[in-house]
Amino acid sequence: GNARDILGHHDGADADFARACELRPGYSEALANRGYLREELGDLAGAIGYWEAALASAPGDWAYRVAITSRLAAARPRLGR
């Protein structure tokens, strides 16, 4: 998914992230990546939803949780939440 996103193949990237989530439900990295892609495409509400799901299933990795929380904190005011 990340390689397709970098190449601008957003539909393919989203499909890859979705497939990763199907194969491994609660896969926080795929959920977070879908959030980044949604933000890039202008779907801030979708991005927030994926980041919230990623945070809920995130491993105990403190730095990872801080990164997602920071992204949420920046996005929520832009959406009026």
Side-chain angles (χ1 to χ4, degrees):
N2 289 330
R4 288 187 187 200
D5 183 34
I6 290 168
L7 294 172
H9 302 160
H10 303 301
D11 290 339
D14 192 48
D16 289 348
F17 297 140
R19 182 71 176 138
C21 290
E22 288 173 17
L23 294 172
R24 189 170 156 198
Y27 183 25
S28 61
E29 292 164 2
L31 291 164
N33 285 335
R34 284 191 96 179
Y36 302 137
L37 179 61
R38 291 286 179 229
E39 181 185 37
E40 184 178 334
L41 297 175
D43 177 11
L44 199 52
I48 289 170
Y50 282 115
W51 291 332
E52 288 172 342
L55 190 58
S57 63
D61 182 342
W62 180 83
Y64 181 78
R65 294 182 65 81
V66 167
I68 295 172
T69 301
S70 296
R71 210 55 181 246
L72 280 167
R76 285 181 176 138
R78 292 175 27 211
L79 194 61
R81 291 187 182 176

